[in-house]
Amino acid sequence: MADKTNTTQAETKDAPILIQMGIFAGVLFVSSLISPLFPPTFPVPTPVIGLVLLYLLLMFHIIKVEWVDKFATFMIGMIAFLFVPSGIQLTASLDIMKAQGVQLIVAIIISTVVLLVVIAYTTSFFIWIRKTVFHGDISVSETVDKK
Amino acid sequence: MSATQTTIITYLGTPIFGICLSLLVFLFGQWLFKIGKGFFLFQPLFVGMVLGIFILWLMAKMFGVDVTWFYTNAYKPGGDIIFWFLNPATIAFAVPLYKRNDIVKRFWLEILLSLIIGLFISLFIIYGVSKLIGLDNNGIASMLPQAATTAIAMPISGAIGGTPAITAMACILNAVLIYALATWLIKLFHLTEPIGQGLGLGTAGHTVGSAKAIQLSSVSGAMAAIAVVIISIVVDIVVPTFANFMGIVK
């Protein structure tokens, strides 16, 4: 009985962290081979291909979610820090800011808000259409429903 | 190359300086955010960015060298190492996306339509606002591709007559702004519906916006992750056409 519990636990257990990192490295490597195949006029960068690739691998059950879950959660939690060098990269753009700086920054701030609000409202509009025109189910729960 | 420059490269040219500086400013930001009781301008990423730029500028002035030169030779070797880890961090979003595959399956049409039509509306508004502020065609062209991730936005910006460096700056500021202001903007505009909220955060704030969305709800996080991918592809196709149509490209 005790052995049986142990095996079931082992089945749902997270993969060791090095294996999780290995899967990420493998996916990134394959993506970096695919990325140059796209023409320069239609660039698709490595991480975007990697995201789609890992998603497909999960969807077709080639890799289990427990094999990558822990490392993925860790990486996502780190993103704000990982973005610090990108922010500091703006040091190299100080010259551009001198020329049209204030106008550019105002335009960027407004654009950011516009993108967030317009996309969110457009989505609400389409979901409203599903509800009122097609009488569809629009309930979204925090837990996964197995419908 | 002057003697000072050689000394700087010898002592600060190794990656560890950039890594230490990044850690230092970010940890200071986290501490400030904690004692500032979560005041939005004290977001660690925003504080880290401003303080990091200020320290590099100050050090460059102290050594009497060009700021951009100092950034490239002293900070960038270490900064690039941290920056590289954004690659695995981006593909990590496949996991929260897969976990809410139920939402993707049910709402894929709404997701696709909202991103395409929402981007078109946004482009018109961004074009109008940029024109109103007084940006020239070069500035406007640099503003249009910013919904895509930096690696896609920069070449498109160059192709439609913009300056890729300005577009990169826009993409970076998008992320920093969304991370700092998301909670406040969501309240201000009542963006409570999780699917739209997620798509908006992913489009406006890229991967950093998605990290914010995951904190709000699993649905929001999954939607932000899918927005990052789809909006990039849509920008790839739509923005060059839009720029031609508006006569920005000469």
PDB file of all heavy atoms in Angstrom, chain B residues 195-211:
ATOM      1  N   ILE B 195     -10.718  38.378 -20.171  1.00  0.00           N
ATOM      2  CA  ILE B 195     -10.162  38.074 -21.494  1.00  0.00           C
ATOM      3  C   ILE B 195      -9.622  39.349 -22.142  1.00  0.00           C
ATOM      4  O   ILE B 195      -8.476  39.407 -22.607  1.00  0.00           O
ATOM      5  CB  ILE B 195     -11.217  37.394 -22.398  1.00  0.00           C
ATOM      6  CG1 ILE B 195     -11.623  36.056 -21.767  1.00  0.00           C
ATOM      7  CG2 ILE B 195     -10.687  37.187 -23.798  1.00  0.00           C
ATOM      8  CD1 ILE B 195     -12.683  35.305 -22.524  1.00  0.00           C
ATOM      9  N   GLY B 196     -10.434  40.404 -22.138  1.00  0.00           N
ATOM     10  CA  GLY B 196     -10.003  41.670 -22.711  1.00  0.00           C
ATOM     11  C   GLY B 196      -8.834  42.271 -21.951  1.00  0.00           C
ATOM     12  O   GLY B 196      -7.885  42.792 -22.540  1.00  0.00           O
ATOM     13  N   GLN B 197      -8.894  42.162 -20.641  1.00  0.00           N
ATOM     14  CA  GLN B 197      -7.819  42.656 -19.778  1.00  0.00           C
ATOM     15  C   GLN B 197      -6.493  41.992 -20.142  1.00  0.00           C
ATOM     16  O   GLN B 197      -5.471  42.655 -20.339  1.00  0.00           O
ATOM     17  CB  GLN B 197      -8.195  42.303 -18.341  1.00  0.00           C
ATOM     18  CG  GLN B 197      -7.296  42.805 -17.275  1.00  0.00           C
ATOM     19  CD  GLN B 197      -7.709  42.183 -15.943  1.00  0.00           C
ATOM     20  OE1 GLN B 197      -7.504  40.989 -15.717  1.00  0.00           O
ATOM     21  NE2 GLN B 197      -8.310  42.965 -15.084  1.00  0.00           N
ATOM     22  N   GLY B 198      -6.513  40.663 -20.304  1.00  0.00           N
ATOM     23  CA  GLY B 198      -5.305  39.922 -20.636  1.00  0.00           C
ATOM     24  C   GLY B 198      -4.781  40.286 -22.015  1.00  0.00           C
ATOM     25  O   GLY B 198      -3.588  40.546 -22.187  1.00  0.00           O
ATOM     26  N   LEU B 199      -5.676  40.312 -23.006  1.00  0.00           N
ATOM     27  CA  LEU B 199      -5.247  40.651 -24.369  1.00  0.00           C
ATOM     28  C   LEU B 199      -4.649  42.051 -24.400  1.00  0.00           C
ATOM     29  O   LEU B 199      -3.639  42.296 -25.056  1.00  0.00           O
ATOM     30  CB  LEU B 199      -6.426  40.553 -25.352  1.00  0.00           C
ATOM     31  CG  LEU B 199      -7.009  39.158 -25.591  1.00  0.00           C
ATOM     32  CD1 LEU B 199      -8.211  39.234 -26.534  1.00  0.00           C
ATOM     33  CD2 LEU B 199      -5.976  38.207 -26.167  1.00  0.00           C
ATOM     34  N   GLY B 200      -5.268  42.989 -23.680  1.00  0.00           N
ATOM     35  CA  GLY B 200      -4.770  44.361 -23.633  1.00  0.00           C
ATOM     36  C   GLY B 200      -3.392  44.445 -22.986  1.00  0.00           C
ATOM     37  O   GLY B 200      -2.482  45.084 -23.518  1.00  0.00           O
ATOM     38  N   LEU B 201      -3.228  43.760 -21.855  1.00  0.00           N
ATOM     39  CA  LEU B 201      -1.938  43.804 -21.151  1.00  0.00           C
ATOM     40  C   LEU B 201      -0.831  43.165 -21.990  1.00  0.00           C
ATOM     41  O   LEU B 201       0.287  43.669 -22.039  1.00  0.00           O
ATOM     42  CB  LEU B 201      -2.040  43.093 -19.803  1.00  0.00           C
ATOM     43  CG  LEU B 201      -2.812  43.823 -18.706  1.00  0.00           C
ATOM     44  CD1 LEU B 201      -2.974  42.933 -17.484  1.00  0.00           C
ATOM     45  CD2 LEU B 201      -2.099  45.111 -18.314  1.00  0.00           C
ATOM     46  N   GLY B 202      -1.146  42.057 -22.680  1.00  0.00           N
ATOM     47  CA  GLY B 202      -0.150  41.397 -23.510  1.00  0.00           C
ATOM     48  C   GLY B 202       0.253  42.249 -24.702  1.00  0.00           C
ATOM     49  O   GLY B 202       1.420  42.284 -25.092  1.00  0.00           O
ATOM     50  N   THR B 203      -0.738  42.948 -25.297  1.00  0.00           N
ATOM     51  CA  THR B 203      -0.450  43.787 -26.457  1.00  0.00           C
ATOM     52  C   THR B 203       0.339  45.030 -26.049  1.00  0.00           C
ATOM     53  O   THR B 203       1.353  45.355 -26.649  1.00  0.00           O
ATOM     54  CB  THR B 203      -1.762  44.238 -27.129  1.00  0.00           C
ATOM     55  OG1 THR B 203      -2.535  43.075 -27.404  1.00  0.00           O
ATOM     56  CG2 THR B 203      -1.488  44.982 -28.414  1.00  0.00           C
ATOM     57  N   ALA B 204      -0.116  45.706 -25.009  1.00  0.00           N
ATOM     58  CA  ALA B 204       0.503  46.978 -24.627  1.00  0.00           C
ATOM     59  C   ALA B 204       1.802  46.772 -23.866  1.00  0.00           C
ATOM     60  O   ALA B 204       2.721  47.576 -23.985  1.00  0.00           O
ATOM     61  CB  ALA B 204      -0.473  47.798 -23.789  1.00  0.00           C
ATOM     62  N   GLY B 205       1.906  45.688 -23.079  1.00  0.00           N
ATOM     63  CA  GLY B 205       3.063  45.526 -22.208  1.00  0.00           C
ATOM     64  C   GLY B 205       3.967  44.362 -22.551  1.00  0.00           C
ATOM     65  O   GLY B 205       4.898  44.074 -21.815  1.00  0.00           O
ATOM     66  N   HIS B 206       3.692  43.681 -23.695  1.00  0.00           N
ATOM     67  CA  HIS B 206       4.520  42.559 -24.140  1.00  0.00           C
ATOM     68  C   HIS B 206       4.688  41.502 -23.036  1.00  0.00           C
ATOM     69  O   HIS B 206       3.763  41.297 -22.264  1.00  0.00           O
ATOM     70  CB  HIS B 206       5.871  43.066 -24.653  1.00  0.00           C
ATOM     71  CG  HIS B 206       5.753  44.295 -25.511  1.00  0.00           C
ATOM     72  ND1 HIS B 206       5.116  44.276 -26.726  1.00  0.00           N
ATOM     73  CD2 HIS B 206       6.133  45.573 -25.314  1.00  0.00           C
ATOM     74  CE1 HIS B 206       5.132  45.486 -27.247  1.00  0.00           C
ATOM     75  NE2 HIS B 206       5.739  46.299 -26.400  1.00  0.00           N
ATOM     76  N   THR B 207       5.873  40.875 -22.943  1.00  0.00           N
ATOM     77  CA  THR B 207       6.031  39.800 -21.954  1.00  0.00           C
ATOM     78  C   THR B 207       5.931  40.319 -20.525  1.00  0.00           C
ATOM     79  O   THR B 207       5.422  39.631 -19.651  1.00  0.00           O
ATOM     80  CB  THR B 207       7.379  39.073 -22.135  1.00  0.00           C
ATOM     81  OG1 THR B 207       8.369  40.030 -22.459  1.00  0.00           O
ATOM     82  CG2 THR B 207       7.300  38.038 -23.224  1.00  0.00           C
ATOM     83  N   VAL B 208       6.407  41.539 -20.287  1.00  0.00           N
ATOM     84  CA  VAL B 208       6.328  42.098 -18.934  1.00  0.00           C
ATOM     85  C   VAL B 208       4.858  42.325 -18.553  1.00  0.00           C
ATOM     86  O   VAL B 208       4.450  42.057 -17.424  1.00  0.00           O
ATOM     87  CB  VAL B 208       7.135  43.409 -18.843  1.00  0.00           C
ATOM     88  CG1 VAL B 208       7.024  44.007 -17.466  1.00  0.00           C
ATOM     89  CG2 VAL B 208       8.599  43.142 -19.162  1.00  0.00           C
ATOM     90  N   GLY B 209       4.068  42.781 -19.530  1.00  0.00           N
ATOM     91  CA  GLY B 209       2.631  42.933 -19.312  1.00  0.00           C
ATOM     92  C   GLY B 209       1.977  41.595 -19.016  1.00  0.00           C
ATOM     93  O   GLY B 209       1.061  41.512 -18.195  1.00  0.00           O
ATOM     94  N   SER B 210       2.466  40.532 -19.666  1.00  0.00           N
ATOM     95  CA  SER B 210       1.917  39.197 -19.426  1.00  0.00           C
ATOM     96  C   SER B 210       2.232  38.726 -18.013  1.00  0.00           C
ATOM     97  O   SER B 210       1.402  38.082 -17.369  1.00  0.00           O
ATOM     98  CB  SER B 210       2.487  38.203 -20.439  1.00  0.00           C
ATOM     99  OG  SER B 210       2.321  38.686 -21.737  1.00  0.00           O
ATOM    100  N   ALA B 211       3.454  39.049 -17.543  1.00  0.00           N
ATOM    101  CA  ALA B 211       3.813  38.681 -16.174  1.00  0.00           C
ATOM    102  C   ALA B 211       2.886  39.375 -15.182  1.00  0.00           C
ATOM    103  O   ALA B 211       2.483  38.813 -14.170  1.00  0.00           O
ATOM    104  CB  ALA B 211       5.269  39.043 -15.890  1.00  0.00           C
TER     105      ALA B 211
END
